[in-house]
């Protein structure tokens, strides 16, 4: 068995043009009669443009299968000892993208501010704006919040602070993308489910300032 | 290699007492020096009481690892051709539990009504109340909505309607738990990503009333 491997990933955001190129590539190879695997990190339907690729395939009459994945929105907080829900602490969670172009400014921050756990994917560069909006809409400044960079990888680093302090602390520590932001009381559970003593699958190796 | 297998799952909700029994069982077997696998459907930190079990283990000094799973909140809609996000349609999604005791009445429905995609796990019995609350908080009655019962299983059935009609349609079709509810414009994408012509991994085998 041999396979052609085409790398189409990006560290930063993919522009629309590049997404069109990916769609065209999938269709072109499939039409040649090849079996094509489009491999993505995380889940293809969680800000992964999976639906757009499915639409392109559908429009071209190419049959496809979708295999859901383990999303970083849940698995990366877990890797840092933070559950997104907890019966006594959070009975709902919301997931948004922090990519400016995908809608930091278009999101309904007033509504998101009222969801017990908020997870922001790709939220590092917009972190000062995101925390400011949540504070503006009444989330208490001492709400625990965390950023996990390179989650589940050997380079994983976690910074824990409060909504008021997080952006400054993250800047000071020089965290780099990819990163996942979690805001809510569930972040406090990290102390009780601490990786230090019990060892989660991917113990946080980074910086912890106690909340 | 041999393993003792203890079934602790339930179809309906687990009471607090039963959860205590599960916690005690994990600790007791671990203290005997056994390696214990606590296997759950979905993700342990998404309304799975995983955090509570971790706390019990932590309190007992039992080391543990958490392995995140594929959550039904994302995978079950996907199995019915519904992506929870889409660049042009939904830049955020929220996940809640429909279990009365876990908080249908305590949830902030006014805020949840403003999130583009809402996923309700275990929401079948409370469906009339859930749809009523969303309507009350201004979600348009013609918003597409779906219930997927036994998602990803051979018995998978999907009912698609609108927020105004869904509860009655689901009752008429006699859907049974486990079921996942999805509300939002993403449900409409099901037509474009339809399982009928292209075959998702687990094509919806059920009832489809077009939206």
């Amino acid at each position: 068995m041999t396979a052609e491997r085409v790398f189409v990933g990006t560290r930063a955001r993919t522009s629309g043009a590049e997404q069109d190129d990916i769609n065209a590539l999938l269709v072109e190879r499939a039409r040649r009669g090849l079996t094509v695997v489009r491999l993505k990190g995380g889940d293809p339907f969680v800000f992964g443009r999976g639906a757009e690729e499915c639409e392109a395939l559908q429009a071209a009459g190419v049959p496809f299968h979708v295999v859901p994945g383990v999303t970083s929105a849940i698995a990366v907080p877990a890797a840092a000892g933070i559950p997104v829900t907890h019966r006594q602490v959070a009975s709902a969670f919301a997931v948004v993208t922090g990519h400016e172009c995908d809608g930091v400014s278009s999101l309904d921050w007033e509504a998101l501010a009222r969801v017990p756990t908020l997870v922001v994917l790709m939220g590092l560069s917009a972190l000062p704006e995101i925390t400011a909006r949540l504070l503006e809409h009444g989330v208490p400044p001492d709400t625990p919040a965390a950023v996990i960079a390179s989650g589940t990888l050997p380079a994983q680093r976690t910074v824990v602070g409060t909504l008021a302090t997080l952006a400054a602390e993250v800047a000071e520590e020089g965290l780099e993308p990819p990163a996942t932001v979690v805001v809510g009381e569930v972040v406090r559970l990290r102390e009780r489910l601490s990786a230090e003593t019990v060892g989660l699958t991917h113990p946080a190796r980074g910086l912890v300032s106690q909340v």
Side-chain angles (χ1 to χ4, degrees), chain A:
Chain A
M1 295 285 287
T2 60
E4 176 194 16
R5 289 185 297 177
V6 182
F7 180 74
V8 295
T10 50
R11 278 280 162 192
R13 53 179 292 100
T14 303
S15 75
E18 285 163 345
Q19 184 61 55
D20 287 346
D21 292 344
I22 294 170
N23 296 352
L25 191 66
L26 295 173
V27 170
E28 189 271 330
R29 291 296 198 279
R31 282 189 172 155
R32 274 203 233 160
L34 298 170
T35 299
V36 182
V37 175
R38 168 68 166 117
L39 194 61
K40 289 170 177 277
D43 185 274
F45 283 172
V46 177
F47 308 119
R49 313 239 171 123
E52 292 175 53
E53 294 177 11
C54 291
E55 285 177 274
L57 294 169
Q58 166 86 307
V62 175
F64 60 88
H65 295 275
V66 175
V67 181
V70 174
T71 179
S72 58
I74 297 163
V76 168
I82 302 167
V84 292
T85 74
H86 186 287
R87 200 156 35 136
Q88 275 90 43
V89 177
S91 57
F93 68 98
V95 181
V96 305
T97 171
H99 263 162
E100 295 282 354
C101 306
D102 285 335
V104 170
S105 34
S106 69
L107 287 167
D108 185 340
W109 288 100
E110 193 188 338
L112 294 171
R114 290 155 59 181
V115 178
T117 302
L118 180 63
V119 178
V120 186
L121 300 183
M122 301 166 281
L124 198 57
S125 61
L127 187 61
E129 186 185 351
I130 290 165
T131 53
R133 282 176 187 260
L134 291 172
L135 289 167
E136 190 184 310
H137 290 296
V139 181
D142 62 350
T143 303
V147 173
I148 305 107
S150 299
T152 77
L153 299 176
Q156 176 174 318
R157 291 176 69 198
T158 304
V159 171
V160 179
T162 67
L163 192 58
T165 64
L166 189 66
E169 288 178 78
V170 163
E172 192 175 320
E173 298 296 347
L175 291 194
E176 291 184 3
T180 302
V181 182
V182 193
V183 180
E185 289 297 324
V186 290
V187 172
R188 217 181 289 275
L189 296 173
R190 176 179 161 80
E191 287 178 56
R192 278 194 270 167
L193 310 182
S194 169
E196 268 61 69
T197 50
V198 294
L200 290 158
T201 303
H202 303 283
R205 291 167 185 79
L207 312 152
V208 183
S209 59
Q210 294 303 315
V211 292

